[in-house]
């Protein structure tokens, strides 16, 4: 579990986060949602330690992330996997080498063990047989899967996904969501997903935090979204007239029995 | 304001170097990366170094032959002057100025590109000490390979001087070789390697620093790459003067 205590972050005179206190649970996808500029990516980067908070604390279990020295921080980070918005796959390495990189760096596994683990990870994301291809030779959706495979290779306890559906078609988006959800449940990982994809919210949102202007505007899960009368949530989720109409119809049908 | 910016940058540069000097997570990975960089910096620069060195030697010899003219200075001095100017100044300085343009801009663009594509963040999150993994192998490779390139440059320059003066008949083969063998001071070779090592360290560390902290988009990456060349060149000339003061 990851817990934040009154996290704030200021860039110059711009206060991006104004005091975030929340929890991200193990074994279920935790979603951070909000419109552009709400502070989602900043919060995610604070959770991983890529930014330092202006004030407040982040706890991994009982460990205060920002009280650690660089060496201890690297030990925590070895338990973390991350899927980047742009995938961040190393262009000069093949898919297989990308996935193998964390093992090369941190384990004493033999070449055969590494090869086996790479194959397992690719199989896990349904991408068998593309070890020798370069990232530029596979599609965006495949790159996302390779990114997930690389994030999962050292069996992390924490998985962070920065907009995993961006730039993908709805069908592939759903597949990626299902994959992340499945890995989270199966391995009891604390997964934090930063998204503004509505399919993700309604599909895998077991714990949803809605940010607006650097504050938590709403906190709940996917089953509470439809019933909520929170105006910020309504404005964000049902931004399009089409979705508003669908929601109105659904609520009308429900009230009619 | 400018002074504050300079102090800030210098402080951050030394802090980055401090983080780069760390125990490798896995020695074999650093070794592999160092070998790759030695190939890129060394083998990749041999041709350009040979090319400029031939011309350095030729120009030095032709200019000096012209200066001597009909004076009483013996003509074999051409070989002697070409050798010493090349070893003391031309080979280390000109070669490193050229390498600052070729290697420095390349390193700044490579690391800057990795920063922009979040590769550095990805490595950080994996637990890699990116300052050490991305910078130290480049510095080590450069400090090993660039002095070798400078030695090649000195050798080729002397051959260039020979081509420009002996082949057209300005002086004889015997005179040129006599000049090369006269008044040799081994300390100058030591000075050449000191200069080459210091310049190699400067041009790689400064270029890596500028790439590592690049922010923004392609324009900023281009600026970082240009600054890497400009700042490296200025520092090379500054330290050329300092080393000359200290070692002569």
């Amino acid at each position: 579990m990851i817990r934040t205590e009154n996290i704030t972050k200021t860039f110059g005179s711009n206060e991006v986060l104004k005091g975030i206190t929340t929890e991200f649970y193990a074994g279920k996808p935790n979603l951070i949602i909000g419109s552009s500029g709400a502070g989602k990516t900043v919060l995610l980067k604070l959770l991983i330690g890529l930014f330092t908070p202006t004030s407040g604390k982040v706890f991994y279990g009982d460990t205060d992330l920002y009280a650690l020295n660089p060496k201890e921080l690297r030990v925590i980070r070895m338990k973390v996997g991350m899927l980047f918005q742009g995938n961040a796959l190393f262009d000069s390495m093949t898919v297989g080498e990308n996935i193998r990189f964390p093992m090369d760096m941190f384990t004493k596994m033999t070449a055969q063990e590494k090869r086996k683990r790479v194959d397992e990870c690719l199989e896990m994301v349904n991408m068998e047989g593309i070890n020798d291809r370069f990232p530029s030779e596979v599609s965006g959706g495949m790159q996302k899967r390779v990114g997930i495979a690389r994030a999962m290779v050292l069996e992390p306890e924490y998985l962070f996904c920065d907009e995993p559906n961006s730039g993908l078609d709805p069908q592939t988006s759903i597949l990626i969501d299902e994959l992340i959800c499945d890995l989270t449940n199966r391995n009891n990982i604390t997964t934090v997903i930063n998204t503004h994809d509505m399919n993700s919210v309604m599909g895998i949102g077991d714990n949803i935090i809605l940010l607006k202007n650097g504050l938590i505007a709403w906190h709940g899960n996917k089953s509470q979204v439809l019933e909520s009368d929170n105006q910020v949530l309504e404005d964000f989720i049902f931004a399009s007239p089409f979705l508003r109409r669908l929601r109105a119809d659904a609520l009308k049908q429900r009230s009619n029995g | 304001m400018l002074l504050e910016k300079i102090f800030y940058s210098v402080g951050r540069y030394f802090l980055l170097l401090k983080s780069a000097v760390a125990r490798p997570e896995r020695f074999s990975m650093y070794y592999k990366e160092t070998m790759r960089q030695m190939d890129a910096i060394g083998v990749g620069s041999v041709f350009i170094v040979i090319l400029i060195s031939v011309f350095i030697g030729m120009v030095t010899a032709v200019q000096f032959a012209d200066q001597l003219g009909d004076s009483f200075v013996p003509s074999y001095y051409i070989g002697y002057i070409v050798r010493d100017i090349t070893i003391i100044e031309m080979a280390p300085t000109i070669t490193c100025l050229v390498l600052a343009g070729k290697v420095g801009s390349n390193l700044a663009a490579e690391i800057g590109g990795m920063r922009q594509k979040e590769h550095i963040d990805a490595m950080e999150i994996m637990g890699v000490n990116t300052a050490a993994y991305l910078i130290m192998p480049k510095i080590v490779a450069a400090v090993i390979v660039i002095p070798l390139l400078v030695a090649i440059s000195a050798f080729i320059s002397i051959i260039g001087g020979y081509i420009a003066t002996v082949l057209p008949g300005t002086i004889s083969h015997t005179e040129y070789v006599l000049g090369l063998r006269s008044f040799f001071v081994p300390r100058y070779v030591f000075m050449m390697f000191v200069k080459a090592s210091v310049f190699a360290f400067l041009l790689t560390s400064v270029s890596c620093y500028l790439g590592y902290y690049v922010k923004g988009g392609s324009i900023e990456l281009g600026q970082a790459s240009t600054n890497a060349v400009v700042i490296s060149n200025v520092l090379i000339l500054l330290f050329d003067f300092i080393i000359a003061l200290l070692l002569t």
Side-chain angles (χ1 to χ4, degrees):
Chain A
M1 190 183 76
I2 298 174
R3 188 162 50 88
T4 67
E5 266 183 25
N6 206 24
I7 285 277
T8 67
K9 180 67 183 173
T10 305
F11 294 100
S13 59
N14 182 20
E15 195 176 14
V16 179
L17 294 179
K18 298 171 182 167
I20 305 288
T21 301
T22 189
E23 288 182 355
F24 301 96
Y25 307 109
K28 58 169 84 172
N30 301 275
L31 270 60
I32 303 171
I33 61 171
S35 49
S36 299
K40 303 188 297 292
T41 302
V42 174
L43 178 57
L44 197 75
K45 289 193 171 180
L46 283 166
L47 291 177
I48 319 161
L50 285 177
F51 285 161
T52 311
T54 307
S55 66
K57 290 177 176 175
V58 173
F59 291 94
Y60 278 59
D62 295 326
T63 309
D64 182 357
L65 187 70
Y66 292 99
L68 302 176
N69 63 39
K71 205 174 166 184
E72 292 166 333
L73 182 62
R74 276 199 281 278
V75 173
I76 286 276
R77 280 179 169 166
M78 284 165 66
K79 299 176 188 170
V80 169
M82 175 144 184
L83 175 64
F84 283 84
Q85 189 175 356
N87 305 316
L89 297 175
F90 308 132
D91 317 308
S92 56
M93 296 182 192
T94 63
V95 164
E97 287 166 344
N98 262 284
I99 299 171
R100 208 181 61 202
F101 183 83
M103 291 188 282
D104 286 339
M105 204 51 134
F106 299 111
T107 71
K108 290 180 178 171
M109 293 162 81
T110 63
Q112 199 182 355
E113 287 169 336
K114 285 179 199 167
R115 220 173 6 250
K116 194 173 161 224
R117 180 68 186 144
V118 168
D119 289 342
E120 278 171 12
C121 288
L122 282 172
E123 197 184 321
M124 190 164 68
V125 295
N126 300 321
M127 285 283 114
E128 302 95 324
I130 61 161
N131 306 44
D132 297 328
R133 289 208 227 162
F134 283 91
S136 58
E137 294 170 349
V138 299
S139 71
M142 287 160 96
Q143 285 183 17
K144 290 275 179 203
R145 290 180 193 216
V146 174
I148 295 173
R150 186 178 69 180
M152 294 300 294
V153 73
L154 292 182
E155 298 178 335
E157 292 175 29
Y158 308 94
L159 179 65
F160 295 91
C161 305
D162 189 10
E163 308 211 4
N165 314 103
S166 69
L168 299 180
D169 62 272
Q171 220 170 359
T172 313
S173 287
I174 291 167
L175 286 176
I176 295 286
D177 280 346
E178 284 172 355
L179 181 63
I180 293 171
C181 195
D182 181 44
L183 292 170
T184 303
N185 294 332
R186 205 166 355 127
N187 302 304
N188 198 35
I189 300 170
T190 303
T191 299
V192 182
I193 303 168
N194 170 1
T195 187
H196 45 224
D197 184 273
M198 287 313 110
N199 285 327
S200 303
V201 174
M202 300 312 288
I204 60 169
D206 288 342
N207 179 33
I208 304 169
I209 291 152
L210 171 66
L211 292 185
K212 188 175 182 191
N213 298 329
L215 289 166
I216 295 178
W218 183 81
H219 189 180
N221 60 46
K222 61 187 175 191
S223 58
Q224 295 168 329
V225 168
L226 279 178
E227 269 106 37
S228 170
D229 55 1
N230 183 297
Q231 195 55 47
V232 180
L233 180 73
E234 201 171 308
D235 290 346
F236 178 71
I237 303 265
F238 303 103
S240 82
F242 175 68
L243 285 176
R244 278 182 196 277
R245 205 163 53 242
L246 275 184
R247 182 182 186 235
D249 288 349
L251 290 174
K252 204 157 130 189
Q253 274 181 6
R254 192 178 290 184
S255 64
N256 290 342
Chain B
M1 195 66 186
L2 179 70
L3 204 63
E4 191 185 328
K5 208 174 160 186
I6 291 171
F7 275 122
Y8 175 75
S9 298
V10 171
R12 200 162 61 153
Y13 167 77
F14 282 111
L15 286 175
L16 181 69
L17 286 184
K18 191 183 154 209
S19 347
V21 184
R23 200 171 148 204
E25 292 89 353
R26 184 137 319 271
F27 184 78
S28 60
M29 290 291 281
Y30 280 67
Y31 175 77
K32 215 163 85 179
E33 182 61 13
T34 306
M35 289 297 129
R36 194 178 74 84
Q37 292 299 334
M38 282 170 80
D39 179 53
I41 297 170
V43 179
S45 306
V46 166
F47 178 73
I48 184 78
V49 166
I50 289 176
L51 193 70
I52 59 156
S53 303
V54 171
F55 289 114
I56 288 172
M58 288 166 81
V59 170
T60 310
V62 167
Q63 296 277 11
F64 189 67
D66 183 55
Q67 296 283 316
L68 283 184
D70 296 325
S71 70
F72 291 109
V73 180
S75 53
Y76 74 86
Y77 264 54
I78 293 173
Y80 155 60
I81 291 292
V82 168
R83 183 201 68 205
D84 272 8
I85 285 188
T86 293
I87 290 176
I88 297 170
E89 189 59 31
M90 291 300 192
T93 311
I94 304 286
T95 304
C96 288
L97 288 175
V98 170
L99 288 178
K102 184 186 177 289
V103 176
S105 62
N106 188 32
L107 292 180
E110 181 186 323
I111 296 183
M114 291 182 78
R115 167 68 72 197
Q116 289 181 335
K117 289 181 186 171
E118 296 182 309
H119 292 177
I120 294 181
D121 286 347
M123 285 187 187
E124 282 282 340
I125 287 163
M126 286 174 199
V128 177
N129 178 353
T130 53
Y133 181 66
L134 295 176
I135 297 174
M136 196 39 73
K138 292 178 174 63
I139 293 177
V140 171
V143 170
I144 292 171
V145 160
I146 289 180
L148 296 177
L149 287 174
V150 167
I152 292 171
S153 168
F155 180 72
I156 299 290
S157 289
I158 290 168
I159 292 175
Y162 183 92
I163 293 168
T165 50
V166 177
L167 296 189
T170 313
I171 58 170
S172 69
H173 166 81
T174 317
E175 283 175 309
Y176 192 80
V177 173
L178 177 67
L180 289 183
R181 299 175 70 174
S182 303
F183 320 115
F184 179 65
V185 182
R187 188 166 51 87
Y188 291 161
V189 177
F190 170 72
M191 196 198 266
M192 177 183 81
F193 282 120
V194 169
K195 281 185 177 182
S197 307
V198 171
F199 298 164
F201 175 80
L202 286 172
L203 79 89
T204 42
S205 60
V206 167
S207 305
C208 290
Y209 163 78
L210 289 166
Y212 193 82
Y213 286 115
V214 78
K215 276 183 184 163
S218 51
I219 291 175
E220 285 76 9
L221 185 59
Q223 280 169 350
S225 196
T226 308
N227 288 342
V229 179
V230 174
I231 296 172
S232 299
N233 282 350
V234 172
L235 286 175
I236 284 170
L237 294 173
L238 174 69
F239 275 81
D240 188 25
F241 173 62
I242 293 170
I243 293 168
L245 279 182
L246 292 175
L247 296 184
T248 52

